Amino acid sequence: AHMLSPDEYGNVSEESWDKHLNSFIKKTLMPEFQRKKIDHLLANDPKRSAARLRTRINRIVDRHQPTNPAVEFDETMTGREFELYCRDVLHEAGWHAALTPGSGDQGADIIAEKDGRRVVVQCKFYNGTVGNKAVQEAYAAAAFQDAPYAVVVTNSVYTKSAHQLAHKNGVLLMHHTDLERLDLIVTSGAGSL
């Protein structure tokens, strides 16, 4: 992917990737074909065979490229837009996620469920640091919603005391860029009350 990134003018050149791919075929694949005594398959038309290898490799690489997320983070969004963004990221990651009405939720912004796991998410879109109050709200909301997992997600950073309180109470502190991997983190046992 970094070999296909645009230059300062926005132009994408495949020259670096093609050079790298040709080197890989020549230095890695061909010796392996010779070792396995199957290089005769390429002998009839080596240029055509190399072109076919490049095409097949490019197809494999394309299949494993991460897709661009449908939802995009924006530094100018409001707190409610950040909650919608977090909900949409969770949807893309396969969670059933719903925003709470806002009043009477006891601090929960999103209730998410996946594979029998129920998670309460407290969203904090801040310019400054996120402190203990967010951890307390997430902890209380998880208890109120009968959810075994409490998460605070932000675009910012957490105070040291927030980290300490979260650790003591089993609340998971996350940056929004890690939200798509919530199921892996929860499966590991993090964020469990």
Side-chain angles (χ1 to χ4, degrees):
H2 74 274
M3 290 182 189
L4 296 178
S5 59
D7 62 16
E8 61 271 21
Y9 306 106
N11 302 314
V12 177
S13 169
E14 295 188 7
E15 191 176 314
S16 179
W17 169 246
D18 289 337
K19 189 176 175 182
H20 178 77
L21 189 53
N22 288 333
S23 176
F24 172 73
I25 290 169
K26 183 178 175 184
K27 293 179 179 177
T28 304
L29 289 184
M30 297 308 275
E32 186 66 15
F33 290 166
Q34 288 169 351
R35 190 181 71 72
K36 291 188 174 187
K37 300 189 184 341
I38 58 170
D39 56 327
H40 65 280
L41 297 173
L42 307 178
N44 291 344
D45 192 351
K47 281 189 176 185
R48 185 169 177 227
S49 297
R52 286 175 55 206
L53 278 173
R54 277 194 299 280
T55 301
R56 300 257 335 246
I57 290 169
N58 279 325
R59 279 190 197 138
I60 292 167
V61 168
D62 288 344
R63 269 198 314 259
H64 291 87
Q65 285 292 335
T67 56
N68 289 335
V71 254
E72 301 235 353
F73 178 78
D74 180 2
E75 289 287 345
T76 63
M77 61 178 54
T78 65
R80 191 61 172 174
E81 289 170 336
F82 183 64
E83 291 172 10
L84 290 165
Y85 161 81
C86 291
R87 181 206 58 195
D88 292 348
V89 169
L90 289 169
H91 279 170
E92 283 186 7
W95 289 83
H96 298 286
L99 293 177
T100 61
S103 62
D105 59 21
Q106 302 299 325
D109 292 321
I110 299 171
I111 312 262
E113 293 184 8
K114 183 177 183 181
D115 300 329
R117 292 184 177 90
R118 185 173 169 88
V119 179
V120 165
V121 181
Q122 170 67 256
C123 302
K124 293 295 181 188
F125 188 73
Y126 279 9
N127 287 328
T129 56
V130 180
N132 284 1
K133 186 171 186 266
V135 176
Q136 294 163 350
E137 289 172 352
Y139 182 80
F144 183 78
Q145 298 288 343
D146 293 321
Y149 300 97
V151 175
V152 181
V153 63
T154 188
N155 62 312
S156 189
V157 294
Y158 299 94
T159 63
K160 183 178 178 182
S161 62
H163 278 285
Q164 291 168 340
L165 184 62
H167 179 73
K168 273 283 198 207
N169 290 288
V171 175
L172 181 60
L173 303 183
M174 299 181 72
H175 190 264
H176 73 90
T177 55
D178 296 318
L179 197 54
E180 65 190 41
R181 292 184 290 281
L182 179 61
D183 54 342
L184 298 174
I185 296 167
V186 166
T187 303
S188 73
S192 179
L193 302 179

